Amino acid sequence: VQLQASGGGLVQAGGSLRLSCAASERPYSSYVMGWFRQAPGKEREFVAAIRWGGGSTYYADSVKGRFTVSRDKSKNTAYLQMNSLKPEDTADYYCAVGYRYGSSWNEYEYWGQGTQVTVSS
């Protein structure tokens, strides 16, 4: 599976962005699509994930209530709607596909390139 992430950019604190992750082929229903982020000098951290088939969602505590993960099966695309953005959300954001849900980056098999999100104060 090849993944193409897009939608990053520069936004002021309190603003919104929507990231997209297009898959080259339909993920199996059991697969999970995850979003991770990595700020300079920091480890890659889990942000959110969604089960492709049933649509169950998972969030890091730091983004709960502000970010929403979703998917459009007809487009083989997942989205990360980010609202109420904070400067600490600044990072490169990556989408990934794994065979099962996990919050560790090494539990995911396929990765897209990063898309940069910068939140100014």
Side-chain angles (χ1 to χ4, degrees):
V1 179
Q2 294 183 337
L3 304 172
Q4 180 75 36
S6 61
L10 172 64
V11 63
Q12 288 188 330
S16 299
L17 281 174
R18 188 177 80 155
L19 307 184
S20 300
C21 180
S24 59
E25 58 191 74
R26 181 182 301 175
Y28 287 107
S29 293
S30 60
Y31 283 8
V32 172
M33 186 168 282
W35 287 95
F36 289 78
R37 66 187 182 187
Q38 188 166 19
K42 294 189 176 181
E43 292 189 355
R44 191 167 297 190
E45 66 173 359
F46 172 77
V47 175
I50 185 167
R51 290 192 186 276
W52 195 259
S56 297
T57 56
Y58 310 87
Y59 296 95
D61 288 342
S62 59
V63 306
K64 234 175 244 183
R66 300 188 298 123
F67 291 10
T68 302
V69 61
S70 61
R71 85 278 192 247
D72 184 335
K73 289 184 177 180
S74 68
K75 296 181 180 179
N76 293 340
T77 299
Y79 303 96
L80 184 68
Q81 177 66 44
M82 305 185 296
N83 298 329
S84 302
L85 282 162
K86 305 175 182 180
E88 51 262 44
D89 295 318
T90 295
D92 289 329
Y93 283 70
Y94 299 86
C95 59
V97 168
Y99 300 135
R100 63 185 67 84
Y101 167 67
S103 59
S104 177
W105 65 268
N106 58 10
E107 296 180 271
Y108 289 76
E109 305 297 321
Y110 306 97
W111 288 84
Q113 87 292 356
T115 185
Q116 190 173 51
V117 172
T118 303
V119 184
S120 63
S121 56

